[in-house]
Structure formats: structure tokens, C-alpha cells
Amino acid sequence: MISSQTAPLIETKNLHTYYDDSHILRGVSIVLKPGETLGLMGRNGMGKTTLIRTIMGLVRPRSGTVHVGGRDMTREAAFRIAQQGISYVPEGRGIFASLSVRENLAISGRAGIDGATTWTLPLILELFPRLAERLANRGDQLSGGEQQMLAIGRALMSNPRVLILDEATEGLAPLIRDEIWKTVRLVRDAGIATLLVDKTVSEVTAIADRVVILVKGEVAFEGSPAALKADPAILHRHLGV
Amino acid sequence: MSGFLSQLLNGLQYGLLLFLIASGLTLIFGVLGIINLAHGSLFMIGAYLAFLVTKATGSLWFALPVGIGAGLVIGAVLERVLFRYFYDREHLDQVLVTFALILIFEEMRSLVVGNDFYSVPVPAALDFSIPITAGFSYAAYRFFVIGACLVLAAALITWIERTNMGAVIRAAAEKPEMVDILGLDARRVHLTVFAVGTALAVTAGGLAAPLTSVYPNMGDGMLIISFVVVVIGGLGSVSGAFFAALLIGLIDTLGKAYGQAFAGSGLGNIIAACASMAVYILMVIVLLFRPAGLFGRRA
Ligand SMILES: Nc1ncnc2c1ncn2[C@@H]1O[C@H](COP(=O)(O)OP(=O)(O)O)[C@@H](O)[C@H]1O
Ligand SMILES: [Mg+2]
């Protein structure tokens, strides 16, 4: 029995996930330790989103296991996995268009699994002052950047142990991207473990403690950002830079 | 003039009753994705329940709260033991199971109370008319129905639009997977929505019983007209259903009351026929030009 203090927050073992007959994840094992920032990289279609969706219980793996904080959560309902303190900001952000900004934030407000109440509405609004001006607006009245801030703010409102960001800066203007990266650093410094999927190599290698690269549903590289930057061949072959 | 006022009030009262039924139908469709054909049967059950309780206790005053409570229980049980297993099924399966429920409910009604018509007495305290103008007075019980429906409508809309639970319900109707991702237990939302939707239809049946008397298959007509309301209000929209129900209640009542006046000549007969079908014609027009409904917020 691993104590929940030291157990990895997320541990996948040999995950195989299919969409119908297409074999997408081919034996993926990754670990996310408490407080760690893990960069998950790879070209489009390599299985990053599928890996996250499998971890979250939104897709069933055909074989392999997902442990959260030492507990086997394979095949558990998605909401139970989220309740283990995993906050997932999906690609496309998942903002509720028909809810106000305030409602979008309030809907996930709760104490963390450890009882923490660090992230509250006032703190989120301090972090994203733009949202404070838009509290009464509907979700679909926000710009893309504001929606991303709202999605991250909403994820933090549940006081998670793990934040999963899937392509959080994609398609955003440079100034907004900078704001998102600033937030990611702040979240890291607050001690929340982060699984960061992003194509911006410079930022991911600057922020992450470790990087995993997926190629066709397999882990093709795992190591420190320094090791990755020191290997231009891998960068070129797997990330196209 | 007083005749018109009376029809206007009748239309308002009918529209508000329709809202109680249509709001549950639209909520259940919006959040659970199920078109519950048996929703009209719940109205029928409410009316028969009111009849039975009134007969046993002597007053509708007992029947109404019993109806609300029974409606919540019936809805919760139906969701738990039956509907829950049909959310992910094909529409045909859903249609078949809810149609089967209509047959089961009518058969049960036939076994328990038989196939006769029964009238339900208006409570004694409301068995009088309120004078409006010199020559016109309106039944106090009908005013009571208008008031009760308005209170229920206000409570429902406040719940949906202003509370945290309401926000979760709207979120679940819009992006169910995201509700799971946020760690919210959608099963609780489903149970609550189904129970409340059922209780509203049962309550509507109880309120209507003294006005329409109770009879076999009385829910069928209500189901069909409620679908018209749901379509015109915009599928899944409770506030849309409110305005649509009032519109339909007024058009239907006034159309039927005054369309007949044209009957006689050839053209007049056509006008009379159109007036009595006005709500269905309106539904077709809405479906053609504004498929998201007249009051739906967006397509
Ligand atoms: N719902 C789905 N049904 C079938 N195939 C899918 C589905 N989602 C993704 N895929 C396929 O799975 C592969 C991995 O996709 P994804 O996990 O989204 O990759 P990434 O996030 O790395 O871009 C791709 O080939 C994609 O086309
Ligand atoms: Mg992806």
C-alpha cells in the first residue's frame, strides 16, 4: 500500500486505447508526481488528447490501468476521477455558452480533496481582471482569450491537486498567450501538479520539470527539458522544430 | 366585450396550465435527451389522483399537496428504475418505452377507477364568482388556478435561472460531458429534473381536474399541444416555454371561440377551420423559419 502522500498523483500503466478498430494508445505509461509539471508534446494526432481522455475516464482503455493518488481509477466514471482533484481544461475550452461568467466559475467551486480552499472567486478575478469586468456576460460573449482564462479559472475553482491543460494557448494572440503562461507558472508555484499539452517548445521546456513526447500512441522520449533541448534530432523529428 | 375578457382569461389560464406540462417536457428533453411521450399520462394521473383524494377527504385542498408529493416520488422512481437506462439508447427505443408507459398507465387507470367520466368539485371556499364588470364575473377557482400556476412558474424559472443547481441543469443541457469533467454528479441532476418535471405535470392535472373533469386518455390532447409549446418555445428552454405556452393558450382559446363565427359560407368555413388549427399552423411556420423556436436564444 502506497501512502497517498507520496504516491504519484497520476500513474498510467501500459494503456491501450482504441477508437473502434483504430489502435490509438499503444502501451502508454506515464507518471505525474505531486507538485510536478509534466510537459506532454508531440505532433497533431499522436494521441495526447486521447491519453488525457483515457486518464479522465472519458474513453475506456482496452487494457492497462490508471491510478490517481495511488487508487485504481481505471473504468471509474469521469466525475469520480475529477472529484479526486483532477481539473481538466479540454481543447476547445468547454465554456458553457448559456451560463454567465459568474455561473461558469461558481458551478465548479468547491474545497479540494484535502480540504484546501485557496482558490476562490475573488482570487480568480484578481488573477484574471478581465473576467471581473465580464461577470454578467454570457460565456459565448467572450473572446477566445477570455474564454481560456475562464476555463482555467473554472478549473482552479475546484481547488485541484492536478491541472491538465490541453492546448491552452492554441490560436491565441501573443499578449494573451503570455498571460496564460504567467498563470501556468503561478499555478506551478502554488504547488499544483500540472500536465501541460502544448506545442510551444520554448515555453514548455522553460516551465516543465519533465517532458514526455508521444509518437503514434507510444512514448518516444521522456526526460528533462535540458536533455530534450540538447538533442536537436529529437526536437526536429518529433516536434518539427 | 365581457365575453372577450372571459375568453382572454380562459386563454391565460389554459396557457399557464400548459406551461406546467410543457416546462417538464422541455426540461426532460433538454437535460436527459428523452422525448417522454408518457408526459401527458402524468397529467392524467394527477387528475385522477385529485379525483380519488378529493373523494376520500372531501376537499381538493388535500389533493393538491398530495399531487405534488406523489409527482416527485413517481418521477424519482421512474427515473431510477426505468429512464436512467434509456439515456444512451436510440430515439426509437426511447419512443417505444415511453409509448409503452402510456398504455401501462391507461390500463392501470382502467383497473383502478374504470372508464367512466368523473367530475371533481371545486373547493367550497372558491365556489363563487368574482364580479369584474357590471355584467361579467369570473369563476374564483379559475383565478386560483391562474395564481397557482404563476407562483409555480415563478418558482421554477427562479430555480432554473438564478440558483446554482439551475446553472448546473442548464450546463448539463448544453455540454453534458463538461459537467462530468468538472466533477459534478450528473445522475443527481437527472433525478431532480425528472422528479420536478413529473411533479409539475401531475400538479397540472390536479389543478385542471375541477375544470375539465377526469376521463380516460385525457392526457393525450395535452401531450400534443404541449409539444407545440415546446417546439415554439425552443427545445429545452423553460423561459421560452413560458411565453410559448401563453401564446398558444390565447391563440387556441380565442381561435376556437371566435373562429366559429365565420362558419357558414365556403370561405368562412375555411377561416373557422384555420382558426381552430391556428396553433398547429403556427408550429409549422416556426419549424420552417425558426427551427430553434420563437423564444430559443440561438440556433
Ligand atoms: N473520437 C474519435 N474517433 C475516432 N478517432 C479519433 C477520435 N478522436 C481522435 N481520433 C484519432 O486518434 C488519433 C489521436 O488523436 P488525438 O488524441 O486527438 O491526438 P493529439 O491530441 O495528439 O493531436 C488521431 O489519429 C485522431 O484522428
Ligand atoms: Mg489534441
Side-chain angles (χ1 to χ4, degrees), chain B residues 159-208:
Chain B
W159 183 55
I160 298 286
E161 300 290 343
R162 295 270 176 274
T163 66
N164 199 48
M165 180 75 183
V168 178
I169 289 170
R170 279 175 286 136
E174 188 188 319
K175 294 194 172 84
E177 185 180 273
M178 197 61 222
V179 169
D180 290 340
I181 288 175
L182 293 178
L184 303 166
D185 187 352
R187 294 170 313 170
R188 234 185 67 221
V189 177
H190 296 160
L191 183 70
T192 310
V193 163
F194 204 90
V196 170
T198 300
L200 286 168
V202 171
T203 305
L207 284 169

Side-chain angles (χ1 to χ4, degrees), chain B residues 2 133-137:
Chain B
S2 62
T133 60
F136 169 59
S137 55

Side-chain angles (χ1 to χ4, degrees), chain B residues 1-298:
Chain B
M1 187 57 219
S2 62
F4 179 71
L5 191 56
S6 155
Q7 295 301 344
L8 217 53
L9 285 168
N10 282 344
L12 176 67
Q13 172 248 297
Y14 179 48
L16 285 167
L17 267 180
L18 274 181
F19 171 72
L20 295 192
I21 306 165
S23 56
L25 200 59
T26 206
L27 257 183
I28 288 169
F29 176 75
V31 178
L32 283 55
I34 285 196
I35 295 173
N36 182 14
L37 295 180
H39 203 71
S41 304
L42 301 168
F43 173 82
M44 179 274 292
I45 289 174
Y48 274 90
L49 202 62
F51 162 67
L52 291 173
V53 174
T54 305
K55 203 170 82 171
T57 65
S59 170
L60 189 73
W61 294 131
F62 296 102
L64 290 176
V66 167
I68 294 179
L72 287 169
V73 172
I74 293 170
V77 170
L78 279 176
E79 202 279 336
R80 279 263 147 140
V81 306
L82 187 67
F83 280 82
R84 168 168 298 189
Y85 303 99
F86 282 84
Y87 297 148
D88 296 329
R89 299 282 280 270
E90 291 180 17
H91 279 310
L92 181 62
D93 294 353
Q94 299 175 348
V95 165
L96 288 176
V97 76
T98 60
F99 185 69
L101 274 183
I102 298 181
L103 304 179
I104 292 168
F105 286 145
E106 286 295 340
E107 197 58 34
M108 279 165 52
R109 186 261 315 138
S110 173
L111 286 173
V112 175
V113 256
N115 297 322
D116 294 331
F117 276 57
Y118 294 101
S119 58
V120 176
V122 167
L126 290 175
D127 199 3
F128 65 98
S129 286
I130 298 175
I132 307 289
T133 60
F136 169 59
S137 55
Y138 196 71
Y141 182 71
R142 286 184 181 268
F143 274 120
F144 167 74
V145 170
I146 290 174
C149 288
L150 282 173
V151 168
L152 288 171
L156 178 68
I157 290 176
T158 305
W159 183 55
I160 298 286
E161 300 290 343
R162 295 270 176 274
T163 66
N164 199 48
M165 180 75 183
V168 178
I169 289 170
R170 279 175 286 136
E174 188 188 319
K175 294 194 172 84
E177 185 180 273
M178 197 61 222
V179 169
D180 290 340
I181 288 175
L182 293 178
L184 303 166
D185 187 352
R187 294 170 313 170
R188 234 185 67 221
V189 177
H190 296 160
L191 183 70
T192 310
V193 163
F194 204 90
V196 170
T198 300
L200 286 168
V202 171
T203 305
L207 284 169
L211 301 173
T212 64
S213 66
V214 300
Y215 51 94
N217 302 308
M218 64 184 289
D220 298 358
M222 286 310 242
L223 176 73
I224 290 167
I225 193 92
S226 297
F227 269 124
V228 177
V229 169
V230 169
V231 167
I232 290 177
L235 290 174
S237 166
V238 171
S239 34
F242 182 75
F243 295 111
L246 289 184
L247 188 68
I248 294 299
L250 287 169
I251 290 178
D252 199 40
T253 305
L254 296 177
K256 281 176 178 154
Y258 294 106
Q260 272 327 99
F262 295 93
S265 67
L267 181 65
N269 282 341
I270 294 175
I271 295 177
C274 285
S276 68
M277 294 189 300
V279 295
Y280 301 102
I281 296 171
L282 178 64
M283 179 177 81
V284 171
I285 295 172
V286 167
L287 277 177
L288 280 175
F289 297 104
R290 291 217 36 179
L294 275 190
F295 307 98
R297 274 198 273 220
R298 82 206 152 94

